Amino acid sequence: MLVTLQTTLLLLVVGVLVARTSTTASTTAATSYAAFQHFNVKEAIASTKIQPPKINAHEEISDYTDHFSDGTDHQKWKLKLVHRDKITSTHFSDHRRRFEAHMKRDAKRVASLLHRLTSSGGGGGAAATSTADGVGHELEDFGSDVVSGMDQGSGEYFVRIGVGSPPKSQYMVIDSGSDIVWVQCQPCNQCYRQTDPVFDPASSASFTGVSCGSSACDRLENAGCHSGRCGYEVSYGDGSYTKGTMAFETLTFGHTAIRNVAIGCGHRNRGMFVGAAGLLGIGGGSMSLVGQLDGQTGSAFSYCLVSRGTESSGSLEFGSGALPVGAAWVPLVRNPRARSFYYIGLLGVGIGGMRVPISEDVFELTQLGDGGVVMDTGTAVTRFPTAAYEAFRDAFVAETASLPRANGVSIFDTCYDLNEFVTVRVPTVSFYFSSGPILTLPAGNFLIPVDEMGTFCFAFAPSPSGLSILGNIQQEGIQISYDGANGFVGFGPNVC
């Protein structure tokens, strides 16, 4: 989707993270970074007309792996993170149709998150489990490259891993708001279309069923018992679901084999996972891959979502070696009602170097588990509660009064006709986090093209509830790191 951010632009404006000397709520202005930046309109429009290259669906895991040493004892494996539209056949002929389809999917994603929070207490359908005593996990850090298909209008990022023994290469959706790993399995009573052949447990020497009396089954929500095997069911608020049996299986990242990972083997599946074989949950609960590897990786991982309109790929790494030196760290906030989600402390937002007068209470997570701010890889557009969004938007509109306006498009109510411009001067957009850091976004992360004719929109929207969500459009191009053991999320210092 949207804007091509060349490396030079990123280096110029990713602007980055500035540690404030004071964390008091009375701080209303940021003077240590620029109030305005220049945005290359023609470059952004050109990116909407480029169809992303198709990826060979039969490439093996090794084709998506880079092995390197960082000069220490840490050995890392990086596989490509790709967006689903680079591996599926769903391509729209024009950017406007891609954009509209993307926004429909994004609205369903937000509805799904809200449904999970209000109806199930935030468990995502699967609350917590553990692997078989952690046996078989290798200690070296490992990872996978992430490729974005945002230019095609979808909000999911894929990673290619191996499932079973011998490993069968499969694309998996990564989801920071999910606590389960699952794949479509034979015999498949109801399956959606995926790029690779559906995984057949009978062909894997390492596939082991989970008994109904196991601790893994006990810790599942919506668990059942089918012929002595532990059954699972995960339903999403958009109508998507997966149903099947639990198993312990080997997952392979490059040349790193991780044995005895608890996964769902889905025999009845439906939803917006088209192209992927399943879902790789990297949420905060112990059922996710991050939770299952806690003893080996310290619940540490890092990702970088590639900027839209480029042919490069992002990355996903696990292990303490993935945590960069020089990041700006913000405390994670735990919500007992929603252990899957990564909440962060947001104090406010800024436009043009000035803090917008919004009460910090708007972004606060209450003792009852309501409100708060969630970091989510699956949501594209950042949402704020309506009152906060309107104040934020109005401040942006006031600073862009000289730009010609256009009618609202889809979920966006603040749009501009920039077709006659080569570049425009726009105010900076910043997030003020608890403990001090300020994240200033590149212009392409908040002003996005919605067609090929030069219509750009302010890429934020009101939330239908008190929950705020920091979406992947605003995260793109910036390294995001999670130090689960110590309870922090880091921004930067690297870009991608």
Side-chain angles (χ1 to χ4, degrees):
M1 167 180 151
L2 308 176
V3 180
T4 301
L5 292 179
Q6 299 295 341
T7 302
T8 53
L9 178 62
L10 280 170
L11 292 175
L12 177 65
V13 304
V14 77
V16 170
L17 293 150
V18 183
R20 292 182 294 172
T21 56
S22 171
T23 60
T24 61
S26 60
T27 302
T28 58
T31 58
S32 53
Y33 63 93
F36 291 89
Q37 59 183 274
H38 286 90
F39 176 55
N40 192 322
V41 175
K42 293 303 181 184
E43 186 178 80
I45 295 175
S47 72
T48 67
K49 302 176 182 179
I50 300 174
Q51 290 286 348
K54 281 294 184 181
I55 290 173
N56 184 352
H58 301 292
E59 287 178 304
E60 296 303 311
I61 314 163
S62 58
D63 297 319
Y64 280 71
T65 306
D66 294 319
H67 180 212
F68 63 93
S69 171
D70 59 4
T72 68
D73 292 334
H74 293 296
Q75 299 294 317
K76 299 182 182 180
W77 292 98
K78 297 184 68 174
L79 310 176
K80 294 178 182 176
L81 255 179
V82 302
H83 195 280
R84 77 176 189 180
D85 289 320
K86 288 191 177 181
I87 65 171
T88 65
S89 59
T90 304
H91 283 276
F92 294 102
S93 59
D94 63 273
H95 183 77
R96 182 60 174 264
R97 291 182 62 197
R98 295 196 299 266
F99 166 78
E100 290 175 347
H102 179 202
M103 291 301 100
K104 289 179 181 178
R105 283 190 289 267
D106 202 49
K108 289 182 178 180
R109 169 69 178 193
V110 172
S112 175
L113 294 185
L114 295 176
H115 174 80
R116 289 163 58 188
L117 285 169
T118 57
S119 66
S120 65
T129 189
S130 61
T131 59
D133 300 322
V135 176
H137 299 323
E138 299 186 4
L139 298 181
E140 65 178 13
D141 300 323
F142 61 95
S144 173
D145 283 0
V146 184
V147 175
S148 170
M150 286 284 291
D151 43 45
Q152 291 297 306
S154 172
E156 294 126 9
Y157 289 85
F158 284 26
V159 64
R160 194 154 178 79
I161 67 173
V163 181
S165 302
K168 301 296 183 182
S169 298
Q170 305 273 281
Y171 282 108
M172 305 281 282
V173 173
I174 64 163
D175 188 353
S176 64
S178 258
D179 276 348
I180 189 169
V181 179
W182 62 266
V183 295
Q184 295 197 116
C185 285
Q186 299 283 10
C188 207
N189 301 319
Q190 176 183 307
C191 281
Y192 57 83
R193 182 181 177 184
Q194 66 176 63
T195 302
D196 297 292
V198 175
F199 177 67
D200 186 357
S203 67
S204 174
S206 53
F207 185 91
T208 305
V210 174
S211 67
C212 297
S214 71
S215 60
C217 194
D218 288 341
R219 294 186 178 119
L220 277 174
E221 290 185 1
N222 301 324
C225 193
H226 306 282
S227 302
R229 295 290 179 89
C230 178
Y232 80 96
E233 177 178 348
V234 179
S235 298
Y236 303 91
D238 60 3
S240 304
Y241 62 80
T242 176
K243 302 176 183 179
T245 56
M246 294 299 297
F248 293 117
E249 184 55 287
T250 297
L251 302 183
T252 302
F253 295 76
H255 296 286
T256 301
I258 307 170
R259 297 185 288 276
N260 296 315
V261 178
I263 70 169
C265 192
H267 300 291
R268 295 181 62 87
N269 315 287
R270 176 185 177 185
M272 298 192 301
F273 310 105
V274 175
L279 186 142
L280 190 72
I282 55 173
S286 59
M287 180 59 150
S288 74
L289 182 65
V290 175
Q292 294 192 53
L293 300 181
D294 180 35
Q296 287 67 45
T297 65
S299 294
F301 68 98
S302 178
Y303 61 76
C304 205
L305 306 178
V306 70
S307 299
R308 301 172 302 280
T310 69
E311 296 183 5
S312 59
S313 61
S315 62
L316 171 66
E317 296 180 69
F318 296 91
S320 58
L323 301 179
V325 175
W329 296 98
V330 178
L332 287 167
V333 180
R334 299 298 183 185
N335 184 355
R337 286 182 52 201
R339 293 182 176 88
S340 302
F341 300 117
Y342 295 102
Y343 286 81
I344 61 171
L346 180 68
L347 302 179
V349 292
I351 296 293
M354 298 296 293
R355 180 92 168 258
V356 179
I358 300 171
S359 171
E360 294 179 6
D361 294 343
V362 173
F363 304 110
E364 189 173 306
L365 179 67
T366 71
Q367 292 184 344
L368 297 177
D370 298 321
V373 182
V374 169
M375 295 274 293
D376 186 38
T377 59
T379 300
V381 177
T382 291
R383 265 78 166 181
F384 292 132
T386 301
Y389 165 75
E390 291 177 347
F392 183 48
R393 175 205 61 198
D394 291 348
F396 185 82
V397 168
E399 295 293 335
T400 54
S402 62
L403 297 179
R405 293 290 297 271
N407 293 330
V409 179
S410 185
I411 64 173
F412 298 138
D413 60 14
T414 303
C415 301
Y416 301 87
D417 180 4
L418 304 182
N419 186 51
E420 300 299 321
F421 294 85
V422 175
T423 63
V424 292
R425 183 172 179 263
V426 295
T428 54
V429 171
S430 305
F431 297 149
Y432 292 69
F433 293 114
S434 61
S435 80
I438 302 170
L439 172 63
T440 298
L441 300 176
N445 285 30
F446 61 81
L447 198 59
I448 61 175
V450 299
D451 58 26
E452 299 174 5
M453 306 304 295
T455 304
F456 287 76
C457 294
F458 187 53
F460 295 86
S463 171
S465 75
L467 179 69
S468 296
I469 305 171
L470 293 189
N472 57 46
I473 290 177
Q474 282 66 47
Q475 297 180 47
E476 279 192 348
I478 303 169
Q479 184 177 17
I480 309 292
S481 305
Y482 292 83
D483 181 358
N486 296 303
F488 288 90
V489 61
F491 295 88
N494 300 319
V495 297
C496 58

